[in-house]
Amino acid sequence: MSKPTSHSSPPGARERIVLTALKLFYQDGIRATGIDKIIAESGVAKMSFYRHFPSKNDLIAEFLRRRHEVWMQRFTEAVETKLAQGSGGLEIIADVLRHWFDDPDFRGCAFINTLAETPLPESQQHQIIRDHKASLESYITDLATRLGSPAPQTTASAAMIIIEGTIIRAHMGADPTVCDTCKDLLKRISRSQRKPNESSVKRNEPPLLPGL
Amino acid sequence: MSKPTSHSSPPGARERIVLTALKLFYQDGIRATGIDKIIAESGVAKMSFYRHFPSKNDLIAEFLRRRHEVWMQRFTEAVETKLAQGSGGLEIIADVLRHWFDDPDFRGCAFINTLAETPLPESQQHQIIRDHKASLESYITDLATRLGSPAPQTTASAAMIIIEGTIIRAHMGADPTVCDTCKDLLKRISRSQRKPNESSVKRNEPPLLPGL
DNA sequence: ACACAGATAGACAGACCTGTCTCATCATCA
DNA sequence: TGATGATGAGACAGGTCTGTCTATCTGTGT
């Protein structure tokens, strides 16, 4: 339907708008980025903008969808490459994240950031954000399955917590060693596995190290 | 200096402003909350506002400082109470978080949210946010020490990742079982301890469950 | 040559936002 | 009583934001 999105040389008006939004919304935040700025930077007339996107919200939704596409594409590609090199288990995710954090334009997770800017949980934006994270978790579940995890769902659920936390800490400007800590955590959850709901309270496990 | 902040019955203009900011900034976000709204809701004249806070940024800074105070106070108090009941190790943090998430007004971490709304890492706001997280990590390091952790710094660093990640997932509207997963993760890091840089690859630990 | 579709340029409306300014009110204390 | 200082109410300026509208230009196919 409509335009072929990847065709040839000069990007059309709509594509230029989306590309500019991809950059500015991520860089400065959604509320801080005015339509006028996007219009100016993408070299498009205001009417052209509103022809393609009836309101700013429509552009925000498209921004999130496109960001999802390119982020997932890059992430899975990087993971699969490392995996094909046989360089480890689930913990290779930490290396992929580290590479992302090294990008000078890194400014945290676009979805987490947008979540923080969007109060209403019923909004379309929240839905797209949830879909993105569900998609990521689903991929990691698949990954855990392929790596032979006995409880891939549980592993993925724990991995999501670790990933989100690491992204946040990196965004906060934490020490680069967060990625080491992240890697260590990922190793742990992919080696020993246990379902958190199954009587995890009264399990009798000897502490590996003295104290408490 | 200046006013005694907790004295008696009717809160003064400044205190009402801060209280309203505490509510609205957290609820709707900083950019989305206009000065006019804060003024109206706190029943204060505009000039009174600008006498106490020369600019909105000053109020934002005060908001973050106060939020830090009340959040840390509640958090540490809840943790210490559970600790005094002898109900476990570091993983009691998961229970404290769960209680927080159950608050119907829960809308994620005010500091993470503000971080997402604030592009410049050099800004005063980022500084206060970093200070808050450093303070939290410091408390958890102390906690780990008291619990007999052989490497409290490392434990705290890992715990921070897990905590931030859990908060994010809860804010995303994740399954309530995130807290179980969080608890499980915290248990792991407080029981077996290892510095991530010290040959963590070739340690030989038997998996608790079969597979990989 | 002509029509048409899509783009550009930019004025404009109406709302909202931050911050300034004036004037009236009220409590306290000397 | 009268001075002082903090506050309340609200007009105002100047800027920015989203979204609408008109008028002009350009390329393409017939």
Side-chain angles (χ1 to χ4, degrees), chain A residues 27-29 31-33 89 107 109 111-120 126 129-130 133-134 137 147-151 154 157-166 168-169 171-173 177-182 184-185 187-197 200-212, chain B residues 27-29 31-32 88-90 107 109 111-120 126 129-130 133-134 137 147-150 154 157-166 168-169 171-173 177-185 187-197 200-203 205-212:
Chain A
Q27 188 178 94
D28 301 330
R31 276 195 106 92
T33 304
R107 219 186 71 79
C109 167
F111 300 91
I112 294 175
N113 292 348
T114 303
L115 186 77
E117 287 200 84
T118 311
L120 300 176
H126 270 241
I129 292 166
R130 281 191 297 266
K133 294 300 184 184
E137 181 163 359
L147 288 168
S149 166
T154 306
S157 173
M160 285 302 289
I161 289 179
I162 296 165
I163 292 169
E164 307 277 36
T166 304
I168 288 292
R169 303 236 17 104
H171 189 187
M172 291 270 175
T177 61
V178 265
C179 288
D180 299 320
T181 308
C182 172
D184 191 60
L185 283 168
K187 265 182 201 157
R188 283 167 200 248
I189 64 166
S190 51
R191 293 200 175 161
S192 85
Q193 203 51 253
R194 163 196 351 165
K195 300 219 185 78
N197 290 335
S200 61
V201 181
K202 268 304 167 192
R203 198 76 69 93
N204 202 8
E205 287 162 354
L208 300 185
L209 287 177
L212 178 47
Chain B
Q27 188 178 93
D28 301 330
R31 276 195 106 92
L90 210 60
R107 219 186 71 79
C109 168
F111 301 92
I112 294 176
N113 292 348
T114 302
L115 186 77
E117 287 201 84
T118 311
L120 300 176
H126 270 241
I129 291 166
R130 281 191 297 265
K133 294 299 183 184
E137 181 163 359
L147 289 168
S149 166
T154 306
S157 174
M160 285 301 290
I161 290 179
I162 295 165
I163 291 168
E164 307 276 36
T166 305
I168 289 290
R169 305 240 10 109
H171 188 188
M172 291 269 175
T177 61
V178 266
C179 289
D180 299 319
T181 308
C182 172
K183 194 165 194 168
D184 192 59
L185 283 167
K187 264 183 201 156
R188 283 166 200 248
I189 65 165
S190 51
R191 292 202 174 160
S192 87
Q193 203 50 253
R194 154 192 3 159
K195 299 223 185 77
N197 291 335
S200 59
V201 180
K202 267 305 167 193
R203 196 72 68 96
E205 284 164 356
L208 299 186
L209 286 176
L212 180 44

Side-chain angles (χ1 to χ4, degrees), chain A:
Chain A
M1 267 339 144
S2 78
K3 299 269 186 58
T5 146
S6 62
H7 196 37
S8 59
S9 21
R14 190 192 150 94
E15 187 63 10
R16 267 180 293 154
I17 293 168
V18 174
L19 257 27
T20 307
L22 240 12
K23 176 187 161 197
L24 295 183
F25 279 164
Y26 179 65
Q27 188 178 94
D28 301 330
I30 284 180
R31 276 195 106 92
T33 304
I35 293 294
D36 284 345
K37 199 171 179 187
I38 289 178
I39 284 167
E41 192 132 336
S42 56
V44 141
K46 208 159 197 179
M47 273 315 286
S48 301
F49 174 86
Y50 278 101
R51 194 189 342 268
H52 292 293
F53 302 98
S55 83
K56 187 183 182 179
N57 275 340
D58 295 287
L59 179 61
I60 295 173
E62 181 64 18
F63 158 71
L64 291 172
R65 280 187 286 258
R66 286 289 285 271
R67 178 86 191 175
H68 167 68
E69 276 177 30
V70 333
W71 194 91
M72 283 299 288
Q73 213 272 329
R74 285 187 202 169
F75 180 79
T76 57
E77 191 173 294
V79 168
E80 296 300 331
T81 299
K82 283 202 177 295
L83 216 58
Q85 293 167 351
S87 46
L90 210 60
E91 71 273 12
I92 58 174
I93 289 175
D95 299 318
V96 174
L97 290 179
R98 189 199 310 268
H99 183 251
W100 179 29
F101 301 158
D102 281 342
D103 186 335
D105 293 332
F106 173 74
R107 219 186 71 79
C109 167
F111 300 91
I112 294 175
N113 292 348
T114 303
L115 186 77
E117 287 200 84
T118 311
L120 300 176
E122 314 81 22
S123 65
Q124 185 194 20
Q125 301 172 22
H126 270 241
Q127 192 52 57
I128 300 177
I129 292 166
R130 281 191 297 266
D131 288 349
H132 164 72
K133 294 300 184 184
S135 172
L136 176 58
E137 181 163 359
S138 165
Y139 172 71
I140 293 178
T141 305
D142 172 62
L143 210 57
T145 305
R146 283 192 276 153
L147 288 168
S149 166
Q153 279 267 25
T154 306
T155 304
S157 173
M160 285 302 289
I161 289 179
I162 296 165
I163 292 169
E164 307 277 36
T166 304
I167 294 172
I168 288 292
R169 303 236 17 104
H171 189 187
M172 291 270 175
D175 214 63
T177 61
V178 265
C179 288
D180 299 320
T181 308
C182 172
K183 193 165 194 169
D184 191 60
L185 283 168
L186 288 173
K187 265 182 201 157
R188 283 167 200 248
I189 64 166
S190 51
R191 293 200 175 161
S192 85
Q193 203 51 253
R194 163 196 351 165
K195 300 219 185 78
N197 290 335
E198 287 177 6
S199 67
S200 61
V201 181
K202 268 304 167 192
R203 198 76 69 93
N204 202 8
E205 287 162 354
L208 300 185
L209 287 177
L212 178 47

